[in-house]
Amino acid sequence: MPKYIADFEHPIVELEKHLNDLKKNPSSTKKSYAREILRLEQEIDRLKVRVYRNLTPWQRIQLARHPERPQFLDYLSELFQNFIELRGDRLYGDDRAIIGGLANFNNFRVMVIGNEKGRKIKDKLEHNFGMPHPSGYRKAARLFRLAAKFHLPVVSFIDTPGAYPGIESEEHGQAGAIANNLRILAGLKVPVIAINIGEGGSGGALALGVANRVFMMENAYYSVITPEGCASILWGDSAHAPEAAAALALTADKLFKFKLIDGIIKEPLGGLRGEVLSVAAQLNEILLAALTELTGWDGEKLADERYKRLRKIGVFSEDKFYELAQGMRLIKGE
Amino acid sequence: MPKYIADFEHPIVELEKHLNDLKKNPSSTKKSYAREILRLEQEIDRLKVRVYRNLTPWQRIQLARHPERPQFLDYLSELFQNFIELRGDRLYGDDRAIIGGLANFNNFRVMVIGNEKGRKIKDKLEHNFGMPHPSGYRKAARLFRLAAKFHLPVVSFIDTPGAYPGIESEEHGQAGAIANNLRILAGLKVPVIAINIGEGGSGGALALGVANRVFMMENAYYSVITPEGCASILWGDSAHAPEAAAALALTADKLFKFKLIDGIIKEPLGGLRGEVLSVAAQLNEILLAALTELTGWDGEKLADERYKRLRKIGVFSEDKFYELAQGMRLIKGE
Amino acid sequence: MPIRDWFNKKKIRSPKQPTSKRTVPVGIWSKCADCNKIIYQKELFDNHFVCPECGHHYRLSAWQRIKLLTDPETFRETESGLSAKDPLKFKAGKTYAASLARAKKKSRLKEAVITGRGKINGVTVGLAVMDFNFIGGSMGSAVGEKIVRLIELSIAEKLPLIIVTSSGGARMQEGVFSLMQMAKTSAAIGRYQRFGLPYISILTNPTMGGVTASFASLADIIIAEPQALIGFAGPRIIEQTIKKKIPEGFQSSESMLKNGQIDMVVERGRLKSTVSTLLAMLTLGEAANA
Amino acid sequence: MPIRDWFNKKKIRSPKQPTSKRTVPVGIWSKCADCNKIIYQKELFDNHFVCPECGHHYRLSAWQRIKLLTDPETFRETESGLSAKDPLKFKAGKTYAASLARAKKKSRLKEAVITGRGKINGVTVGLAVMDFNFIGGSMGSAVGEKIVRLIELSIAEKLPLIIVTSSGGARMQEGVFSLMQMAKTSAAIGRYQRFGLPYISILTNPTMGGVTASFASLADIIIAEPQALIGFAGPRIIEQTIKKKIPEGFQSSESMLKNGQIDMVVERGRLKSTVSTLLAMLTLGEAANA
Ligand SMILES: [Zn+2]
Ligand SMILES: [Zn+2]
């Protein structure tokens, strides 16, 4: 399988290829050859740092969508034990774009739920590229309630381009299913911890994300609209997606600055590829700390804290004088 | 439209036809003609009394299924005011085999829900002959919960051959939908009153029928299985349905004797046809009494009473000696 | 009218694709944007901006809607001083600041929702009405905040809650701040609903995206005006995804009703009386049960 | 095994129409009723009556099932003295009395369900197991009563509840008394579930009608054995109604799983350990959360 390469990675890949070719054909004199190898290696390192330390939002989105990026099931198998999958919404289906069940995390018993995109093409189709139908959100709702009943914390992994925009999903109440999850999660009497591991595509992502603690991987994004969609609306051309991505302030660092998330999990240079080991320790620590803290709280406090977190989100201006003037006008009968 | 005539009504209809013919052709001498008319009228009355006062269970089922028998919407329009229909299960559909909404009944505000079969062929198709899909039961469940939230008594009208036995209805969880309604109704914190106005077809009917007070029309039936189904199983031939109907003890008088229902609404001789006026006063009285009594109770008491009613249903034998002996054998290690 | 006839009468109208951008034509006489018939402007006014010929429901401004629903002189606005900021200094093509300025001028509003107390046939309610003229009725921080404050006020004063939506969804110019208003408003509705107070939402053309997928869908009773466009994803996005045309009447009020997502489709002329009857049924008024 | 591989591995087996009347063949060597391969009887026994060749799950008696699920010598039966009466003096073709007598003789049971306390890997549970050999595992008054008494006992003693079903549905010979057991058991489950205790139901071949449409479907976790027939209406009634053949695999455990009605399909060999893990997850044991 050819390695997937994002546009902005081409210069690095070119140099790497050149280096490899050189290594395969040691034709030059030994001294200049070794020097050339060293030079190339240094250049690659410098380039990598320059590219990956200065990623634009759009470039981060490429990494968040990278086909080799670890997915929910990879984290599940690395960080959790004794996973028992619970399937179905008890209504109309078992949406494979959302997977959930019971598991152990260190000493904790938890309900773990996440978007799964699928890796191979067959899996991608089965998991619908991580885009849930209403059935998936309703399965999640069932599991949220089950978790609350049995006093199990909910740990959710967000990684979806968004809720599936199709005919049946609309007919079966996509909007209502998402809204219902927002309401359920907000009021849940157990700890809820959400981790955005890749794509946080709008309401379809938020439907697993109303939590007491929200974390993001360094190259994950969270957005009200896809940059492509935003660009289509504002420029009439999705090619402006990179600019839209920049305008939307959708990266982890921005969201952390805005205090919309609680922490960022650092990724290796170039973003996660294939394996989760490089972030497992961080994730483990962050989750363990959150669970340890939150399981000490009672249900009311957990729901209240979640509400308070949401309650204060928003930036707006408040013109008390205007309001007063409006009131006066009314009294004067204008 | 030709009037629908059940088998056992043919002798009556024959005589009535004869009488009509005679009336249309007054060819005889005046005296004998008048006498003949009178004789026929008396004979018809006698026959009617003989037939209708001695209905077999199977004959009652014919009346319960009679195409001219009043249906839920007829009672709704006669007995309730300001009906506002509430549609949809908020999941996948709006099943027209179950209709429900808010209404006034005398001084009460109630949630009224019932099976509707439809009268004309187009309506029958729309209402699926009164056979609900899971969506219908889930709509009912939503309205039950809404009633509980707003402290409204539930009045339900049962009239269904049964839950629809189809492919989609099974795939979409017919069994689970019915079970869920049984559980919800049993625990509902508002008064629930059920009236079986015609067919009480098995679990599909019971899903609207777990109530504090259950009434039946005189010619309604309530059965664990259709007589045809029962006959098919026991004789391998549904033609034995009349015998099965007798064996199943499914008529209102039997159920009242068994204390499974609280009252019977008397029907005019020959059963209800077309109009509900002849039973409206009785129904009004019975419902008013039940509502007046039950709305005085608090939610816990209502749910408790409903549970106690169910709890004692069942006829079985209990062999305490056998149980003891079993225990002894165990102790002796046999 | 006997109920059975009424049932037969109110057949679902063959739904057609809702029209999304129709404003009332100007002039004494004008042509209906839907049926093309010539209509007398005054008649349209008197008919609550519903075409007397074809029943097309023209879009109402928030204040027109408030006038339609509330008893005269009873509406008192709350939080009128609240309006949008620009937390992201958003610029994509044009700036958010410019969009806001233009919207204010065009709509004569400070934000895309008006909230307040008002009476509906004598019953005081908490009322929010969105206005599509203000950046497509989109929900940003200020809209979310106004709605949540109205919900909290309705809890405090034990008022029934009525929200009339008309919105393209979340306001993208505020990024994740807008997205989070979905969760914030839904959470507030969840709190409100613990108190056994009735929440009725009225969906008008169009109600899409983050508004449908939050407070609008969480009402005890959901009403829609006829032939409104209602859904989550926009029709164009769906067509791009499934790579075929969407069917006629898809995402219309009528199909939402058929698909079990809303309680009823109510024509504008019957809207106030319907809400009023529902309030009488769901709140403890003079005809109490116990 | 990494979870991803495990996911890829446990693909839904192409479901075929579940076989409904297969009993274990008799003899030292016998032919599997499903795959027709010759199997060694002892191997079948050791494999919990699952064909070692094709995985066909033969029906288990209630006592075999109890042996499979509970730790040795830990099961204590309750209400063993409870059995059916004949409230309707039912006679249709043959009498109910005769059916009961024959069932008792054939199954060596007093009723179609065994209830009691037992331990599953050390955890005490309330356990009910239905037996298809007793009038098709049908639920009459005694079965309903035994199940409700077990539920009440499990409430009183704060025990997890496990019910293994195998039933054609309600017992028609008791008429509406049977029908009402659906409501009675469902109501009791509703009460049980207020206490935050876990209820796991295990559906085995077949689970139909009034049993599926009551307590069996109300569990927190619903497990099914592979290729069991599970549904409400019988396949024949459906075929008569829709006037065509039902599709392959319809009403199988596997299609129930795909259709979102159950949590998992678990092979008999993994049943006890799965239930045990679930109990550990759902009850406050040694690895408590707080
Ligand atoms: Zn027009
Ligand atoms: Zn075999």
Side-chain angles (χ1 to χ4, degrees):
Chain A
M1 194 174 70
K3 212 178 134 187
Y4 172 91
I5 302 152
D7 280 353
F8 65 94
E9 297 175 308
H10 278 294
I12 298 168
V13 174
E14 285 300 314
L15 277 185
E16 280 177 337
K17 209 175 146 208
H18 186 49
L19 176 68
N20 277 340
D21 289 349
L22 219 66
K23 280 182 178 170
K24 272 186 221 143
N25 308 300
S27 59
S28 326
T29 64
K30 261 184 180 151
K31 203 173 161 197
S32 72
Y33 173 71
R35 219 187 301 129
E36 179 65 6
I37 293 278
L38 187 68
R39 193 192 64 78
L40 266 172
E41 281 176 347
Q42 284 172 339
E43 168 130 9
I44 286 167
D45 284 349
R46 268 196 307 274
L47 188 60
K48 272 189 173 172
V49 170
R50 201 168 66 224
V51 168
Y52 291 126
R53 287 252 184 271
N54 296 288
L55 289 169
T56 66
W58 180 246
Q59 286 168 347
R60 286 203 196 270
I61 288 178
Q62 307 313 303
L63 297 184
R65 293 174 177 169
H66 199 289
E68 285 158 28
R69 190 174 177 83
Q71 299 178 354
F72 171 45
L73 295 187
D74 301 307
Y75 293 99
L76 187 60
S77 93
E78 187 61 37
L79 292 163
F80 296 79
Q81 298 82 43
N82 305 322
F83 178 66
I84 299 192
E85 193 188 1
L86 303 179
R87 291 175 61 169
D89 61 2
R90 298 270 172 100
L91 299 164
Y92 289 82
D94 176 51
D95 186 346
R96 309 302 297 153
I98 293 181
I99 302 288
L102 302 160
N104 288 119
F105 174 79
N106 292 296
N107 278 331
F108 293 92
R109 298 169 295 134
V110 300
M111 182 71 80
V112 57
I113 300 176
N115 302 114
E116 174 63 20
K117 292 176 164 180
R119 178 82 69 213
K120 294 169 199 159
I121 184 65
K122 195 163 135 273
D123 300 341
K124 280 180 183 167
L125 291 171
E126 187 196 339
H127 296 289
N128 198 35
F129 301 85
M131 291 182 284
H133 284 72
S135 181
Y137 293 114
R138 291 183 180 126
K139 168 165 74 174
R142 179 173 84 83
L143 300 187
F144 295 151
R145 290 201 189 93
L146 209 60
K149 176 173 178 183
F150 294 107
H151 307 290
L152 301 171
V154 171
V155 180
S156 87
F157 286 79
I158 295 167
D159 189 16
T160 178
Y164 184 69
I167 291 193
E168 284 193 359
S169 55
E170 290 287 320
E171 288 178 343
H172 294 173
Q174 190 74 283
I178 291 171
N180 201 38
N181 277 22
L182 300 178
R183 177 171 57 183
I184 291 172
L185 276 180
L188 217 64
K189 299 285 193 287
V190 291
V192 183
I193 300 164
I195 305 145
N196 180 340
I197 56 171
E199 294 194 82
S202 185
L206 189 59
L208 297 187
V210 180
N212 295 97
R213 296 289 176 271
V214 181
F215 303 104
M216 273 177 89
M217 306 296 296
E218 187 183 354
N219 292 313
Y221 78 93
Y222 216 139
S223 185
V224 66
I225 187 170
T226 59
E228 291 91 336
C230 179
S232 287
I233 294 171
L234 294 178
W235 282 274
D237 181 2
S238 62
H240 285 273
E243 289 147 272
L248 285 164
L250 39 66
T251 50
D253 53 346
K254 285 281 169 59
L255 295 189
F256 188 72
K257 209 189 87 191
F258 293 141
K259 298 190 178 147
L260 294 171
I261 60 171
D262 300 274
I264 297 174
I265 294 128
K266 284 257 172 294
E267 296 185 25
L269 206 66
L272 283 162
R273 305 281 163 100
E275 53 82 39
V276 301
L277 269 178
S278 55
V279 292
Q282 283 180 80
L283 249 178
N284 192 66
E285 193 183 329
I286 240 170
L287 260 177
L288 199 56
L291 281 168
T292 305
E293 182 193 3
L294 297 171
T295 48
W297 299 8
D298 76 9
E300 282 303 330
K301 184 177 172 186
L302 287 161
D304 279 352
E305 197 242 12
R306 226 174 290 125
Y307 186 66
K308 279 180 198 137
R309 287 169 63 93
L310 294 172
R311 186 66 194 81
K312 67 181 182 218
I313 297 179
V315 178
F316 47 85
S317 74
E318 209 167 349
D319 188 342
K320 278 289 165 196
F321 181 75
Y322 178 85
E323 202 170 323
L324 206 67
Q326 288 286 98
M328 295 292 279
R329 235 191 354 238
L330 201 70
I331 291 163
K332 288 197 218 148
E334 285 173 33
Chain B
M1 194 174 70
K3 211 178 134 185
Y4 172 90
I5 302 153
D7 280 354
F8 66 95
E9 297 176 306
H10 277 294
I12 299 168
V13 173
E14 286 300 316
L15 278 185
E16 280 178 335
K17 209 176 146 206
H18 186 47
L19 176 66
N20 276 341
D21 290 348
L22 219 64
K23 279 181 177 170
K24 271 187 221 143
N25 308 300
S27 60
S28 326
T29 63
K30 262 185 178 153
K31 202 174 162 192
S32 72
Y33 172 72
R35 216 189 301 130
E36 179 62 10
I37 294 278
L38 188 69
R39 194 194 64 79
L40 265 172
E41 282 175 347
Q42 286 172 339
E43 168 126 12
I44 287 168
D45 283 351
R46 269 197 306 272
L47 190 60
K48 272 189 171 172
V49 170
R50 201 166 66 224
V51 168
Y52 291 127
R53 288 254 184 271
N54 296 288
L55 288 169
T56 65
W58 180 245
Q59 287 168 346
R60 286 202 197 271
I61 288 178
Q62 306 314 303
L63 297 183
R65 292 174 178 170
H66 199 289
E68 285 157 28
R69 189 175 178 82
Q71 298 178 353
F72 171 46
L73 295 187
D74 301 306
Y75 294 98
L76 187 59
S77 92
E78 188 60 38
L79 293 162
F80 296 79
Q81 296 82 44
N82 305 323
F83 177 67
I84 298 192
E85 194 188 0
L86 302 179
R87 291 176 60 171
D89 60 2
R90 299 270 171 101
L91 299 164
Y92 288 82
D94 176 50
D95 186 347
R96 307 304 295 154
I98 293 181
I99 302 289
L102 301 160
N104 288 119
F105 173 79
N106 293 295
N107 277 331
F108 294 92
R109 297 169 296 135
V110 301
M111 182 70 80
V112 56
I113 300 176
N115 302 114
E116 174 63 19
K117 290 176 166 182
R119 177 80 69 213
K120 295 169 199 157
I121 184 66
K122 196 163 135 272
D123 299 341
K124 281 181 184 167
L125 290 171
E126 187 195 339
H127 295 289
N128 199 34
F129 301 85
M131 292 183 283
H133 284 71
S135 180
Y137 294 114
R138 291 181 181 130
K139 170 166 72 174
R142 179 172 84 85
L143 300 188
F144 295 152
R145 290 200 189 95
L146 209 59
K149 175 172 178 185
F150 293 108
H151 308 290
L152 301 172
V154 171
V155 179
S156 86
F157 286 79
I158 296 168
D159 189 16
T160 178
Y164 184 68
I167 291 193
E168 283 194 358
S169 55
E170 289 287 321
E171 288 178 343
H172 294 173
Q174 191 74 283
I178 292 170
N180 201 37
N181 278 21
L182 301 178
R183 178 171 57 182
I184 291 172
L185 276 180
L188 217 64
K189 299 283 193 289
V190 291
V192 184
I193 300 163
I195 305 144
N196 180 340
I197 56 172
E199 295 194 82
S202 185
L206 189 59
L208 297 187
V210 180
N212 295 96
R213 296 290 177 270
V214 181
F215 304 104
M216 272 177 89
M217 306 296 297
E218 188 183 352
N219 293 312
Y221 78 92
Y222 217 138
S223 185
V224 66
I225 186 171
T226 59
E228 292 90 337
C230 180
S232 288
I233 293 171
L234 294 178
W235 282 276
D237 181 1
S238 63
H240 285 272
E243 291 147 271
L248 286 164
L250 40 67
T251 51
D253 53 346
K254 286 278 170 56
L255 295 189
F256 188 71
K257 211 190 84 191
F258 293 141
K259 297 188 177 151
L260 293 171
I261 59 171
D262 301 274
I264 296 175
I265 293 128
K266 285 258 170 296
E267 296 186 24
L269 205 66
L272 282 162
R273 304 282 163 99
E275 53 81 39
V276 301
L277 269 178
S278 55
V279 292
Q282 284 179 78
L283 248 178
N284 193 65
E285 194 183 329
I286 240 170
L287 260 177
L288 199 54
L291 280 168
T292 306
E293 184 194 1
L294 297 171
T295 46
W297 300 8
D298 77 8
E300 282 301 330
K301 184 177 171 184
L302 287 161
D304 279 353
E305 196 242 11
R306 227 174 291 125
Y307 186 66
K308 278 181 198 138
R309 286 169 64 93
L310 294 172
R311 186 64 194 82
K312 66 183 183 218
I313 297 179
V315 178
F316 47 84
S317 74
E318 209 167 350
D319 188 342
K320 278 288 165 196
F321 181 74
Y322 177 85
E323 204 169 322
L324 207 67
Q326 288 286 98
M328 295 292 279
R329 239 197 345 245
L330 202 70
I331 290 163
K332 288 197 217 147
E334 287 174 34
Chain C
M1 176 167 61
I3 281 185
R4 190 176 294 283
D5 295 352
W6 174 74
F7 263 90
N8 290 337
K9 209 183 155 192
K10 65 170 197 134
K11 284 277 127 37
I12 296 169
R13 205 194 299 197
S14 161
K16 50 182 169 170
Q17 193 54 31
T19 51
S20 59
K21 275 204 163 181
R22 282 173 189 167
T23 47
V24 179
V26 183
I28 294 177
W29 293 94
S30 47
K31 218 166 158 186
C32 172
D34 198 20
C35 68
N36 279 323
K37 293 221 175 94
I38 300 296
I39 45 178
Y40 182 38
Q41 193 78 325
K42 167 123 187 6
E43 208 179 337
L44 192 63
F45 268 63
D46 294 346
N47 203 29
H48 318 291
F49 298 96
V50 174
C51 170
E53 295 291 333
C54 72
H56 177 72
H57 282 55
Y58 287 94
R59 197 172 286 144
L60 293 186
S61 73
W63 285 109
Q64 285 173 326
R65 175 73 61 183
I66 288 165
K67 200 174 160 199
L68 174 83
L69 284 177
T70 58
D71 305 344
E73 312 292 324
T74 63
F75 185 78
R76 295 290 176 269
E77 191 179 356
T78 55
E79 311 296 349
S80 62
L82 247 165
S83 63
K85 263 192 180 164
D86 183 7
L88 312 185
K89 308 288 165 233
F90 188 91
K91 185 181 183 311
K94 61 190 163 199
T95 64
Y96 181 33
S99 303
L100 281 171
R102 210 169 54 109
K104 284 178 189 179
K105 202 173 160 193
K106 175 184 160 206
S107 68
R108 299 208 209 147
L109 297 170
K110 277 178 89 82
E111 251 303 346
V113 70
I114 302 283
T115 61
R117 299 177 194 82
K119 291 197 181 196
I120 296 180
N121 291 340
V123 178
T124 305
V125 302
L127 175 65
V129 180
M130 303 187 87
D131 196 313
F132 196 79
N133 289 312
F134 197 102
I135 314 186
S138 57
M139 172 163 66
S141 299
V143 168
E145 182 70 18
K146 284 182 86 170
I147 284 171
V148 170
R149 287 194 189 179
L150 177 73
I151 295 168
E152 290 175 340
L153 175 150
S154 302
I155 293 173
E157 301 181 6
K158 302 260 170 285
L159 301 180
L161 180 65
I162 319 281
I163 304 184
V164 186
T165 58
S166 179
S167 172
R171 189 173 296 167
M172 61 184 173
Q173 293 90 338
E174 294 185 23
V176 178
F177 286 105
S178 288
L179 179 64
M180 290 299 161
Q181 302 309 310
M182 290 173 64
K184 181 169 133 182
T185 54
S186 299
I189 291 292
R191 301 219 136 194
Y192 176 82
Q193 290 177 323
R194 285 198 226 153
F195 294 89
L197 296 162
Y199 166 33
I200 299 168
S201 78
I202 300 170
L203 316 183
T204 77
N205 185 37
T207 298
M208 297 296 292
V211 166
T212 323
S214 64
F215 60 90
S217 291
L218 296 174
D220 298 305
I221 311 282
I222 305 178
I223 301 172
E225 282 200 331
Q227 297 191 289
L229 179 77
I230 301 167
F232 180 59
R236 235 172 318 166
I237 290 162
I238 295 171
E239 287 187 337
Q240 279 168 25
T241 307
I242 64 174
K243 289 175 183 67
K244 57 183 168 196
K245 293 291 281 181
I246 52 176
E248 273 282 295
F250 177 67
Q251 291 185 321
S252 65
S253 306
E254 291 72 18
S255 71
M256 288 290 276
L257 185 69
K258 190 175 134 284
N259 293 327
Q261 306 302 323
I262 61 175
D263 287 280
M264 56 188 90
V265 174
V266 176
E267 282 156 38
R268 199 171 282 165
R270 296 191 298 111
L271 208 48
K272 184 177 178 180
S273 65
T274 301
V275 170
S276 178
T277 310
L278 285 168
L279 289 174
M281 291 285 183
L282 299 178
T283 56
L284 289 165
E286 54 297 335
N289 267 321
Chain D
M1 175 166 63
I3 281 187
R4 190 176 293 282
D5 294 352
W6 174 74
F7 264 88
N8 290 336
K9 210 184 157 192
K10 67 171 193 129
K11 283 276 128 42
I12 297 169
R13 204 194 298 201
S14 162
K16 50 182 167 172
Q17 194 52 33
T19 51
S20 60
K21 275 203 164 182
R22 281 171 190 170
T23 46
V24 178
V26 183
I28 295 177
W29 293 94
S30 48
K31 217 165 158 186
C32 172
D34 197 22
C35 67
N36 282 322
K37 294 224 174 91
I38 301 297
I39 43 179
Y40 182 37
Q41 193 77 326
K42 168 124 188 2
E43 209 177 336
L44 192 63
F45 268 62
D46 293 346
N47 204 29
H48 320 292
F49 298 96
V50 175
C51 171
E53 294 293 334
C54 72
H56 178 73
H57 282 56
Y58 287 94
R59 196 172 285 144
L60 292 186
S61 74
W63 285 109
Q64 285 173 325
R65 176 72 62 182
I66 289 165
K67 200 174 159 198
L68 174 81
L69 284 178
T70 59
D71 304 343
E73 312 291 325
T74 63
F75 185 77
R76 297 289 177 269
E77 191 179 357
T78 55
E79 311 295 350
S80 63
L82 248 166
S83 63
K85 261 192 180 164
D86 183 7
L88 312 183
K89 308 289 165 232
F90 189 91
K91 184 180 184 308
K94 60 191 164 198
T95 64
Y96 182 30
S99 302
L100 281 171
R102 209 169 55 109
K104 284 177 188 178
K105 202 171 159 192
K106 177 185 159 204
S107 68
R108 298 206 208 148
L109 297 170
K110 277 177 90 79
E111 252 303 346
V113 69
I114 302 283
T115 60
R117 298 177 194 82
K119 290 196 182 198
I120 295 179
N121 291 343
V123 177
T124 304
V125 301
L127 176 65
V129 181
M130 304 188 87
D131 196 313
F132 197 79
N133 290 313
F134 197 102
I135 315 187
S138 58
M139 171 163 66
S141 298
V143 168
E145 183 70 19
K146 285 182 84 169
I147 285 172
V148 170
R149 288 194 188 178
L150 177 74
I151 295 168
E152 290 175 340
L153 175 150
S154 302
I155 293 173
E157 301 181 6
K158 301 260 172 282
L159 300 181
L161 179 66
I162 319 280
I163 303 184
V164 187
T165 57
S166 179
S167 172
R171 189 173 295 167
M172 61 186 173
Q173 293 91 337
E174 294 186 24
V176 178
F177 286 105
S178 288
L179 179 65
M180 291 297 162
Q181 303 309 309
M182 290 172 64
K184 181 169 131 181
T185 53
S186 299
I189 292 292
R191 300 220 137 194
Y192 175 83
Q193 290 177 321
R194 286 197 225 151
F195 294 89
L197 296 161
Y199 165 33
I200 299 168
S201 78
I202 300 169
L203 316 183
T204 76
N205 185 37
T207 297
M208 298 296 289
V211 167
T212 322
S214 63
F215 61 89
S217 291
L218 296 174
D220 298 305
I221 311 282
I222 305 179
I223 301 172
E225 282 200 332
Q227 296 192 291
L229 179 76
I230 301 168
F232 181 59
R236 236 172 317 167
I237 290 162
I238 295 171
E239 287 187 337
Q240 278 166 26
T241 306
I242 63 173
K243 289 175 182 67
K244 58 182 170 196
K245 295 289 282 181
I246 52 176
E248 273 281 297
F250 177 66
Q251 291 186 320
S252 65
S253 308
E254 290 72 17
S255 71
M256 289 289 277
L257 184 70
K258 191 175 134 285
N259 293 326
Q261 306 302 323
I262 62 175
D263 287 280
M264 56 188 89
V265 173
V266 177
E267 282 156 39
R268 197 171 282 166
R270 295 192 299 113
L271 207 48
K272 184 177 179 180
S273 65
T274 302
V275 170
S276 178
T277 310
L278 285 168
L279 289 174
M281 290 285 183
L282 299 177
T283 56
L284 290 164
E286 55 296 337
N289 266 322

